């Protein structure tokens, strides 16, 4: 921890890459954890374009359930520490796979949401994107143009928003420090971002109770929960 902390202190372009594990202690289940289940559906069977085509109301019911859960939770010490770290490091970039908005709620401002936001909807007809925090949401919500609205998130098998992914690779390519927190590293491009930072010569730290496919390229693995470990960097 001491070495990792010194590396962060000496860095000028630090990056944090976060996944569902960073929000787990807030009470938002990860997809691979057991309480991620809803009515016996697996997320892989709901978070897909095919599932939405077949049954938009069902997919929206699941999102409505997730939105409700997220609306009831608060950022945890890991989210708050990351927001504090940003304050002390002007070149800091936070790249997240989370769609819950908790990093922003905790005060982080330079946030790249790779997988979109559960609090935005997007029209499948005209492409209009808008924030919608209605709870419960009318399922499925309909756009002014008559098109069905979908959650503005990236589903399994979909491309990531180009502008966001470009910025994320740029940050990783210029990074001198990268903290990988609470991500299983099996969903792309999380893994590639860590490899890119590695190539760029960044110092890599992983914070996760479990080892992951990314553990092998880390300079330092700190096994533990994000809320216990990340505040130690302050
Ligand atoms: P994942 O569910 O695949 O993996 C979560 C990782 O977090 C695991 O490696 C696990 O060991 C680790 N973890 C669990 N508890 C932790 C803790 N307290 N501290 C640190 N690490 C902990 O998550 P993923 O890799 O982010 O990929 C799943 C995808 O599903 C994401 O891309 C995301 O878009 C979506 N998702 C988002 C949310 C959210 O927004 N909160 C929640 C679930 C899934
Ligand atoms: Zn529309």
């Amino acid at each position: 921890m001491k070495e990792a902390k010194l590396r962060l202190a000496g860095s000028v372009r630090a990056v944090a890459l976060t996944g569902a594990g960073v929000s787990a202690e807030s009470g938002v289940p990860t997809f691979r954890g057991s309480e991620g289940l809803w009515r016996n559906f697996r997320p892989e069977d709901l978070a897909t374009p095919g599932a939405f085509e077949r049954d938009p109301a069902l997919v929206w019911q699941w999102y409505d359930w997730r939105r409700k859960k997220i609306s009831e939770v608060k950022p945890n010490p890991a989210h708050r520490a990351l927001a504090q770290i940003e304050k002390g490091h002007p070149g800091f970039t936070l790249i997240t796979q989370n769609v819950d908005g908790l990093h922003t709620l905790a005060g982080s401002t330079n946030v790249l949401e790779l997988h979109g936001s559960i609090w935005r909807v997007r029209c499948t007809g005209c492409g209009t994107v808008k924030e919608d925090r209605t709870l419960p949401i009318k399922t499925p919500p309909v756009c002014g143009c008559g098109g069905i609205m979908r959650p503005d998130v990236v589903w399994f098998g979909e491309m990531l928003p180009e502008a966001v992914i470009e910025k994320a690779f740029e940050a990783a390519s210029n990074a001198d420090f990268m903290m990988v927190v609470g991500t299983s590293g099996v969903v792309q491009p999380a893994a590639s971002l860590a490899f890119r930072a590695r190539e760029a010569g960044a110092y890599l730290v992983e914070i996760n109770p479990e080892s992951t496919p990314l553990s092998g390229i880390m300079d330092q693995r700190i096994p533990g929960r994000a809320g216990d470990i990340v505040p130690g960097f302050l």
Side-chain angles (χ1 to χ4, degrees):
M1 183 70 198
K2 194 170 165 223
E3 161 88 8
K5 201 172 164 175
L6 284 173
R7 293 287 186 150
L8 173 61
S11 77
V12 286
R13 285 176 311 271
V15 173
L17 175 61
T18 71
V22 89
S23 293
E25 289 158 76
S26 288
V28 186
T30 65
F31 276 0
R32 283 158 189 88
S34 51
E35 3 113 79
L37 279 181
W38 175 75
R39 294 196 201 164
N40 286 330
F41 288 97
R42 291 178 310 146
E44 295 88 331
D45 298 331
L46 292 165
T48 71
F52 192 73
E53 251 168 58
R54 276 193 299 280
D55 197 344
L58 175 76
V59 172
W60 263 116
Q61 283 163 33
W62 178 54
Y63 274 94
D64 196 46
W65 173 78
R66 291 180 59 201
R67 283 158 59 105
K68 180 157 187 299
K69 269 191 161 213
I70 294 167
S71 74
E72 290 162 354
V73 309
K74 290 197 297 282
N76 65 51
H79 296 108
R80 290 199 296 271
L82 287 163
Q84 280 299 115
I85 291 170
E86 179 185 326
K87 289 206 175 77
H89 292 78
F92 187 75
T93 305
L94 179 54
I95 307 173
T96 188
Q97 301 172 89
N98 295 344
V99 297
D100 55 32
L102 290 176
H103 283 302
T104 312
L105 199 57
S108 287
T109 57
N110 193 15
V111 181
L112 299 175
E113 291 179 321
L114 292 178
H115 292 166
S117 168
I118 204 163
W119 300 114
R120 288 193 308 262
V121 295
R122 182 167 89 229
C123 178
T124 55
C126 69
T128 298
V129 174
K130 61 172 190 185
E131 189 179 282
D132 186 337
R133 292 179 175 262
T134 323
L135 276 172
I137 198 160
K138 184 181 157 286
T139 52
V142 178
C143 175
C145 81
I148 291 183
M149 294 288 218
R150 58 166 280 176
D152 189 28
V153 300
V154 177
W155 284 329
F156 292 106
E158 288 188 317
M159 306 277 283
L160 279 80
E162 209 171 309
V164 181
I165 189 69
E166 248 170 50
K167 282 188 195 157
F169 272 105
E170 195 185 311
S173 306
N174 293 318
D176 50 11
F177 176 96
M178 183 185 267
M179 188 191 297
V180 180
V181 192
T183 177
S184 59
V186 297
V187 179
Q188 287 293 356
S192 338
L193 287 165
F195 276 95
R196 180 64 68 86
R198 163 93 291 166
E199 283 158 25
Y203 184 86
L204 262 62
V205 191
E206 178 174 64
I207 296 152
N208 196 315
E210 317 271 338
S211 51
T212 74
L214 294 177
S215 300
I217 64 161
M218 296 290 147
D219 291 289
Q220 200 60 249
R221 234 195 73 68
I222 308 178
R225 302 184 343 148
D228 298 331
I229 307 291
V230 184
F233 281 91
L234 292 174

Short mmCIF file of all heavy atoms in Angstrom, two decimals, residues 122-128 142-149, ligand 2:
data_model
loop_
_atom_site.label_atom_id
_atom_site.label_comp_id
_atom_site.label_asym_id
_atom_site.label_seq_id
_atom_site.Cartn_x
_atom_site.Cartn_y
_atom_site.Cartn_z
N ARG A 122 -33.05 6.88 -24.20
CA ARG A 122 -32.70 7.22 -25.59
C ARG A 122 -33.78 6.65 -26.51
O ARG A 122 -34.18 5.49 -26.36
CB ARG A 122 -31.35 6.60 -25.94
CG ARG A 122 -30.86 6.92 -27.32
CD ARG A 122 -29.39 6.54 -27.45
NE ARG A 122 -29.22 5.16 -27.89
CZ ARG A 122 -28.42 4.27 -27.32
NH1 ARG A 122 -27.73 4.59 -26.25
NH2 ARG A 122 -28.31 3.06 -27.80
N CYS A 123 -34.22 7.47 -27.46
CA CYS A 123 -35.29 7.05 -28.37
C CYS A 123 -34.73 6.09 -29.42
O CYS A 123 -33.72 6.38 -30.06
CB CYS A 123 -35.92 8.26 -29.05
SG CYS A 123 -37.21 7.80 -30.22
N THR A 124 -35.41 4.95 -29.59
CA THR A 124 -34.96 3.98 -30.60
C THR A 124 -35.35 4.45 -32.00
O THR A 124 -34.89 3.90 -33.00
CB THR A 124 -35.60 2.59 -30.36
OG1 THR A 124 -37.02 2.74 -30.30
CG2 THR A 124 -35.11 1.98 -29.05
N GLY A 125 -36.22 5.50 -32.05
CA GLY A 125 -36.61 6.03 -33.35
C GLY A 125 -35.71 7.17 -33.78
O GLY A 125 -34.93 7.04 -34.72
N CYS A 126 -35.76 8.28 -33.05
CA CYS A 126 -35.06 9.50 -33.49
C CYS A 126 -33.72 9.71 -32.79
O CYS A 126 -32.97 10.62 -33.14
CB CYS A 126 -35.95 10.72 -33.31
SG CYS A 126 -36.25 11.15 -31.59
N GLY A 127 -33.40 8.90 -31.79
CA GLY A 127 -32.09 9.01 -31.15
C GLY A 127 -32.00 10.04 -30.04
O GLY A 127 -30.94 10.18 -29.42
N THR A 128 -33.09 10.76 -29.79
CA THR A 128 -33.07 11.76 -28.70
C THR A 128 -32.64 11.12 -27.38
O THR A 128 -33.13 10.05 -27.02
CB THR A 128 -34.48 12.37 -28.51
OG1 THR A 128 -34.84 13.03 -29.72
CG2 THR A 128 -34.51 13.37 -27.36
N VAL A 142 -42.35 6.32 -23.97
CA VAL A 142 -42.48 6.62 -25.40
C VAL A 142 -42.02 8.05 -25.66
O VAL A 142 -42.31 8.96 -24.88
CB VAL A 142 -43.95 6.42 -25.86
CG1 VAL A 142 -44.11 6.78 -27.34
CG2 VAL A 142 -44.39 4.97 -25.63
N CYS A 143 -41.30 8.25 -26.76
CA CYS A 143 -40.76 9.55 -27.15
C CYS A 143 -41.86 10.39 -27.81
O CYS A 143 -42.88 9.85 -28.27
CB CYS A 143 -39.61 9.32 -28.12
SG CYS A 143 -38.88 10.80 -28.83
N GLY A 144 -41.64 11.69 -27.89
CA GLY A 144 -42.58 12.58 -28.58
C GLY A 144 -42.80 12.16 -30.03
O GLY A 144 -43.87 12.39 -30.60
N CYS A 145 -41.80 11.52 -30.63
CA CYS A 145 -41.89 11.11 -32.04
C CYS A 145 -42.66 9.81 -32.19
O CYS A 145 -42.87 9.33 -33.31
CB CYS A 145 -40.49 10.97 -32.64
SG CYS A 145 -39.67 9.41 -32.25
N GLY A 146 -43.03 9.20 -31.07
CA GLY A 146 -43.76 7.93 -31.15
C GLY A 146 -42.87 6.71 -30.95
O GLY A 146 -43.36 5.60 -30.77
N GLY A 147 -41.55 6.91 -31.01
CA GLY A 147 -40.61 5.79 -30.84
C GLY A 147 -40.53 5.34 -29.38
O GLY A 147 -40.82 6.12 -28.46
N ILE A 148 -40.16 4.08 -29.19
CA ILE A 148 -39.99 3.56 -27.83
C ILE A 148 -38.63 4.02 -27.29
O ILE A 148 -37.63 4.02 -28.01
CB ILE A 148 -40.07 2.01 -27.83
CG1 ILE A 148 -41.50 1.58 -28.14
CG2 ILE A 148 -39.63 1.44 -26.50
CD1 ILE A 148 -41.70 0.07 -28.09
N MET A 149 -38.63 4.43 -26.03
CA MET A 149 -37.37 4.84 -25.39
C MET A 149 -36.71 3.62 -24.74
O MET A 149 -37.41 2.79 -24.15
CB MET A 149 -37.67 5.86 -24.28
CG MET A 149 -38.20 7.19 -24.78
SD MET A 149 -36.88 8.09 -25.57
CE MET A 149 -37.22 9.73 -25.07
ZN1 LIG B 2 -37.96 9.93 -30.79
#
